[in-house]
Amino acid sequence: MGENLPSADIWEAGGGRELSEKLRLLKEREGFTTQMLADCSGVPLGTLNKILSGATKDPSLKTVERLARLFGLPMRYFCDVYPSGQSRAALLEQEVEQPLLLTEEEYQLIWSLRRFTGRERRILLTMVKTFDALHRPDSPARQVLPCYLPTRAEGGRTAVNSIAVRHISVKDGETARAADFAVVLYGSAMEPAYHAGEVLALSHRPAGQDEIGLFNLNGEGYIRLYQKVRGGVRLAALNRAFPNISVEEGSQFCCLGTVVGRLDLL
């Protein structure tokens, strides 16, 4: 892999480099093959090979837009050979007509975001939307729901007695109207259906066979697929990296609700 890009500033690492080098740096940071990069960005494999080989130095605007969107970087990262070491504030301010009135802490947050992998950014941005909704004024076409936020979680489970409750405003719609409460999903056990940081809508109805629900098992909270199997009940993870959980006889077990979809925060 060469450079330790996950902990390096990807913008500064690209300073003074040609487009082919910048794209190779990003591939290394994300752990992409060229085929994976094509699949995720929508840029044809042949086009990417030409960029990586240096044969194409000035790709189309559509190609640049797709790469910028995938990696969460401004388009000028792919268009300019800017000097290495140029100040972060100057780089950001050149992208808008007026200077950005940001504190040093806010600059640090922006640049930290640019160092994250794509998956880390998606999780963080979803969580930011969740907490931002708690501070926004009321708006029309909304529903207000109690939302359960884990304050201590590990291994895909959450201690039930560590959950905090807040009220959030969500976009009105069929899913929101069917919900009795909301939960912020922790962990990736339910990928690809649901991702960490998403806000899920739940009804109080107990989960049926092969439905996703919220369960209390011996004081630990799990969001899993409910399955009746020979010999008992199994709480199944959709992500094969996580083990299924068998509910043993004599366990304290109950279903707290059934997932009816994901919510859009206001």
Side-chain angles (χ1 to χ4, degrees):
M1 287 294 192
E3 301 180 50
N4 183 22
L5 289 176
S7 61
D9 189 317
I10 195 66
W11 186 283
E12 291 180 357
R17 297 177 185 261
E18 298 293 336
L19 177 58
S20 59
E21 295 178 279
K22 293 178 184 178
L23 190 54
R24 279 196 293 272
L25 289 173
L26 291 168
K27 277 183 59 185
E28 290 181 0
R29 185 186 75 163
E30 300 289 347
F32 282 158
T33 64
T34 307
Q35 183 62 61
M36 291 168 61
L37 181 55
D39 293 340
C40 293
S41 67
V43 177
L45 181 62
T47 300
L48 291 172
N49 282 328
K50 289 179 180 178
I51 294 174
L52 290 166
S53 69
T56 296
K57 299 183 182 297
D58 187 20
S60 69
L61 180 60
K62 180 180 291 187
T63 294
V64 173
E65 283 180 325
R66 288 176 175 178
L67 292 172
R69 187 183 310 115
L70 174 64
F71 291 112
L73 288 166
M75 290 177 61
R76 73 178 295 256
Y77 174 86
F78 300 93
C79 301
D80 296 350
V81 181
Y82 51 84
S84 179
Q86 186 173 356
S87 80
R88 296 177 174 186
L91 287 169
L92 288 172
E93 288 174 0
Q94 288 173 17
E95 296 177 26
V96 296
E97 294 181 359
Q98 300 294 328
L100 295 176
L101 302 178
L102 300 178
T103 66
E104 180 60 28
E105 182 181 38
E106 290 166 338
Y107 278 124
Q108 292 295 331
L109 287 172
I110 291 172
W111 285 94
S112 293
L113 181 64
R114 286 180 170 175
R115 287 197 296 268
F116 293 164
T117 64
R119 183 175 180 277
E120 289 169 340
R121 285 195 298 272
R122 288 191 295 272
I123 292 174
L124 178 61
L125 290 173
T126 302
M127 294 297 291
V128 168
K129 290 179 182 178
T130 299
F131 289 105
D132 180 59
L134 303 178
H135 302 282
R136 291 189 181 187
D138 292 345
S139 58
R142 67 184 178 92
Q143 294 283 336
V144 177
L145 293 169
C147 181
Y148 295 85
L149 302 166
T151 59
R152 179 172 60 84
E154 57 183 18
R157 64 183 186 274
T158 302
V160 173
N161 61 5
S162 72
I163 294 176
V165 183
R166 300 286 187 275
H167 281 80
I168 60 172
S169 295
V170 299
K171 185 177 180 180
D172 192 19
E174 184 177 347
T175 300
R177 288 191 290 270
D180 295 307
F181 63 101
V183 169
V184 176
L185 180 61
Y186 179 87
S188 53
M190 300 312 293
E191 292 181 353
Y194 299 109
H195 298 272
E198 290 186 327
V199 181
L200 304 185
L202 288 93
S203 72
H204 286 310
R205 175 180 62 82
Q209 181 72 3
D210 292 328
E211 288 187 317
I212 298 174
L214 172 63
F215 303 94
N216 179 357
L217 177 60
N218 296 325
E220 302 285 352
Y222 297 89
I223 294 180
R224 290 288 195 279
L225 193 71
Y226 178 82
Q227 294 180 329
K228 282 189 176 181
V229 296
R230 182 178 299 177
V233 170
R234 176 173 64 199
L235 303 181
L238 300 182
N239 186 340
R240 293 184 179 180
F242 288 78
N244 297 329
I245 302 166
S246 296
V247 180
E248 298 179 357
E249 187 175 353
S251 298
Q252 295 181 345
F253 174 71
C254 67
C255 179
L256 303 175
T258 299
V259 175
V260 296
R262 59 173 59 81
L263 294 165
D264 294 321
L265 299 170
L266 292 177

